[in-house]
Amino acid sequence: MKIIMLGAPGAGKGTQSERIGAKYGLPQISTGDIFRANLSAGTELGMKAKTYMDAGELVPDELTCDLVVDRISKDDCANGYILDGFPRTLAQADLLTKVLAESGDKVDFAVNVDVPDENIIARMSGRRVCGKCGKPYHIVNMPPKVEGICDNCGGELIQRKDDLAETVKNRLTVYHDQTQPLIDYYDAKGCLVTVDGTKDIDEVFADIIAALEA
Ligand code: ADP
Ligand code: ADP
Ligand code: ZN
C-alpha cells in the first residue's frame, strides 16, 4: 500500500503516519525528517536545505525529488510506504506519478488531514519533536511520559526553529499556494481521502483506518 499524507504544516501528518506505519508495518518516510537529519549531520544537502527551511519556504524540487526516488527504491519499501511531507508541489506529484507508472504502479491513497489555519498556530507553538528520531509531541495534547524526553528513544525533545509563529505564517502561505492544489490533483485520480484533523488524535486515526479499509 502506497500512501501519501497531505495537509497544512502541523495538521498531524507526522503523528498519523507514524501510527499508520506501525499498524501496517510500512516505513514512514518524512522528507522534513530527512532534511533535518542531514542538517544535524552537516551534509551538503543539509546546508543547502537549511536556508529554505528556516524561512519556511520549500526546498527546491531538484534537491527533494532525487532523494525521495532513491529512498522509495530501497528494499523496505517493496510492500509500500507512507510519504509524509512529499509531494508538496505539482511538479513533485507529477514526478511521483511518473516514477510509479514506470513499474505499473500508483499512489493508493492520498490522506488529506484537514485543519483550518486558525487551529494551526496554537498547535505549532506547543509542538516539540525528538532531536534524535523526529517523533512529534505536544506539550498539552500529546505530552511525553517524562517531560522533555522521547518515549521512543530517550532523545531530548526540542522546539523546531521553524515552528515560531512568524515562520509558521509563511509556511501556511506556502502551503496554500503550492501544496493545497494537490488535493484536487489526487481527487481527480480518485484516491483522495479527507479526514477532519481537528478531532483528537485517536479519532483522526480511527477515521483514517476506516477510510483505508472501506
Ligand atoms: P511539517 O511537518 O510541519 O509540515 P516538515 O517537517 O514536513 O514540516 O517540513 C519542514 C520543512 O522541510 C518544510 O517547511 C520545507 O522547508 C522542507 N520540506 C519538507 N518536505 C519538503 C518537500 N516535499 N518539498 C520541499 N520542501 C520540503
Ligand atoms: P505535521 O506532521 O502535519 O506537521 P504533527 O504530526 O507534527 O504535524 O503535529 C503537529 C503538532 O500538533 C504536534 O505537536 C502534535 O503532537 C499535535 N497534534 C497532532 N495531531 C493532533 C490532533 N488531532 N489534535 C491536537 N493536537 C495534535
Ligand atoms: Zn526519539
Side-chain angles (χ1 to χ4, degrees):
M1 187 155 59
K2 296 179 182 68
I3 301 173
I4 65 159
M5 303 297 292
L6 296 175
K13 302 180 297 297
T15 300
Q16 297 301 333
S17 49
E18 192 206 344
R19 293 181 176 213
I20 302 166
K23 180 171 170 73
Y24 296 113
L26 298 173
Q28 170 201 3
I29 300 169
S30 158
T31 38
D33 284 350
I34 294 173
F35 287 134
R36 280 185 291 277
N38 274 275
L39 198 60
S40 314
T43 70
E44 200 186 327
L45 175 66
M47 297 306 173
K48 283 185 181 156
K50 179 178 164 42
T51 6
Y52 300 99
M53 294 175 77
D54 284 351
E57 299 289 334
L58 294 182
V59 177
D61 289 340
E62 55 273 26
L63 293 178
T64 308
C65 289
D66 288 353
L67 84 85
V68 173
V69 172
D70 180 64
R71 180 65 188 86
I72 62 179
S73 70
K74 301 273 189 261
D75 286 348
D76 67 331
C77 290
N79 292 324
Y81 43 79
I82 302 154
L83 287 178
D84 164 16
F86 184 95
R88 262 180 154 99
T89 64
L90 279 170
Q92 292 178 9
D94 272 332
L95 175 99
L96 182 63
T97 300
K98 226 174 70 201
V99 167
L100 289 174
E102 282 166 10
S103 48
D105 218 339
K106 60 176 175 49
V107 167
D108 296 296
F109 295 102
V111 176
N112 174 31
V113 184
D114 187 30
V115 176
D117 288 8
E118 49 276 24
N119 301 33
I120 294 288
I121 305 263
R123 224 184 240 198
M124 297 301 244
S125 64
R127 171 156 71 179
R128 300 292 180 273
V129 299
C130 175
K132 244 163 108 185
C133 77
K135 184 177 159 76
Y137 294 86
H138 190 281
I139 50 176
V140 179
N141 306 334
M142 174 70 176
K145 293 196 182 85
V146 180
E147 195 184 324
I149 304 292
C150 177
D151 297 345
N152 252 6
C153 76
E156 196 188 331
L157 302 190
I158 53 165
Q159 181 164 29
R160 279 168 47 177
K161 215 168 144 188
D162 62 343
D163 277 352
L164 300 177
E166 263 329 293
T167 314
V168 171
K169 281 186 198 149
N170 192 42
R171 288 163 66 200
L172 279 170
T173 306
V174 168
Y175 166 75
H176 290 299
D177 287 351
Q178 303 196 52
T179 309
Q180 203 173 4
L182 300 187
I183 294 173
D184 287 341
Y185 178 94
Y186 285 104
D187 195 19
K189 292 191 182 297
C191 64
L192 183 74
V193 165
T194 295
V195 294
D196 177 356
T198 64
K199 295 185 186 175
D200 77 37
I201 293 175
D202 291 338
E203 283 179 277
V204 178
F205 181 60
D207 288 350
I208 292 173
I209 298 306
L212 300 187
E213 297 186 351

